[in-house]
Amino acid sequence: KEMATIQQMVRQELCTHPFLLDLLHQELLNVSAVAEKLYPQITRSLSKEVKTSAISMALRRVVHEFSQKPLFLWKFPKNTEITTRSNLYEVAIKKNPQTLTQFTHLQKKIKSHANTFLSVVEGVHETVFLTNQVNKEVIKKQVRHNQIISEKNNLGYISIHFYPETKNIPGIYYQITRTLALNTISIQSFHTMGAEIIILFAQQDLKRRIFADTY
């Protein structure tokens, strides 16, 4: 009964501090050290002395339960389709009624260039144009009368195509963003289309093995 009570308090503490739980799961923290840290709070909550070894045992049990979530049991399939591209330019403008017309004009100008592409993502407040870096001046000329929200040069992207059912597993994107965070890589832009996601980075980051920890 005492162990169950300690475990309940440990679970409560870790749910309050999910990053602590995640770091324990990744074995980046010493369990005994965390038990020492939680000792005063758990002792006060239970109104009696407890052993740090009991807290450590409860920590291991809660972390094990956490590791059994579908998020961590799922692995990237060996045949996951991943595409990369570099030398990209992205500009976000304030959304306006002329956006569709601007996109049509840009398509006509850009399609004549070999090996180039143009993508547009329309949100509630902004419209984002993504294209090859070589088309920067064409884009800027076309949107010069618009309010530019952000502009990014020399980007690279990784496109990942998931199985559709993957989207029903909570936390799939977290597997990716956690890996990027641990490798100190910033996401410059993030787009989802059905079961496909496109993540844009500074071009120098694209050259690093950023998904090594995810596979």
Side-chain angles (χ1 to χ4, degrees):
K1 186 176 180 180
E2 181 180 337
M3 285 299 296
T5 304
I6 293 173
Q7 187 165 326
Q8 182 180 12
M9 295 305 305
V10 165
R11 182 178 286 104
Q12 180 179 317
E13 286 295 317
L14 293 183
C15 287
T16 304
H17 303 92
F19 283 111
L20 182 61
L21 176 57
D22 188 25
L23 291 173
L24 283 166
H25 171 250
Q26 296 178 66
E27 299 182 351
L28 296 175
L29 292 179
N30 181 281
V31 173
S32 297
V34 175
E36 291 283 355
K37 186 72 174 178
L38 296 181
Y39 175 81
Q41 174 63 35
I42 291 178
T43 299
R44 284 194 298 271
S45 298
L46 296 178
S47 300
K48 61 182 178 182
E49 290 293 318
V50 296
K51 295 181 178 180
T52 55
S53 59
I55 298 175
S56 294
M57 188 179 298
L59 280 168
R60 291 188 176 92
R61 288 178 176 174
V62 174
V63 170
H64 176 72
E65 291 173 8
F66 180 67
S67 69
Q68 299 307 300
K69 289 181 177 291
L71 163 65
F72 299 112
L73 297 178
W74 180 87
K75 300 296 181 183
F76 278 96
K78 295 296 183 182
N79 59 344
T80 298
E81 184 179 338
I82 298 179
T83 305
T84 64
R85 196 159 191 165
S86 57
N87 298 314
L88 303 176
Y89 170 73
E90 182 187 79
V91 60
I93 63 172
K94 185 176 180 180
K95 189 175 178 180
N96 64 76
Q98 286 76 45
T99 298
L100 182 59
T101 302
Q102 289 176 321
F103 179 56
T104 302
H105 287 319
L106 284 169
Q107 276 186 313
K108 290 178 180 178
K109 292 180 180 180
I110 289 175
K111 71 178 183 180
S112 61
H113 298 178
N115 300 317
T116 65
F117 79 103
L118 173 66
S119 175
V120 61
V121 180
E122 198 168 37
V124 176
H125 304 291
E126 301 177 14
T127 300
V128 177
F129 294 99
L130 177 66
T131 187
N132 305 80
Q133 188 70 36
V134 69
N135 296 319
K136 174 181 176 178
E137 295 309 319
V138 176
I139 297 282
K140 290 197 71 171
K141 184 177 180 180
Q142 185 65 49
V143 302
R144 64 187 182 278
H145 299 304
N146 296 269
Q147 179 183 342
I148 294 180
I149 307 298
S150 68
E151 183 180 19
K152 297 183 176 69
N153 293 284
N154 300 312
L155 298 176
Y157 78 56
I158 288 179
S159 170
I160 306 174
H161 187 267
F162 289 113
Y163 294 119
E165 57 270 20
T166 302
K167 298 194 74 172
N168 296 323
I169 302 175
I172 289 299
Y173 294 164
Y174 174 64
Q175 277 213 41
I176 298 172
T177 56
R178 178 178 69 168
T179 300
L180 294 172
L182 290 174
N183 284 277
T184 63
I185 294 177
S186 299
I187 294 175
Q188 299 298 316
S189 194
F190 194 111
H191 306 291
T192 63
M193 293 147 291
E196 180 181 1
I197 67 170
I198 292 179
I199 311 173
L200 287 101
F201 313 92
Q203 194 158 289
Q204 62 267 25
D205 288 333
L206 189 64
K207 298 175 183 177
R208 297 162 60 181
R209 248 186 104 196
I210 58 179
F211 287 106
D213 293 339
T214 309
Y215 282 90

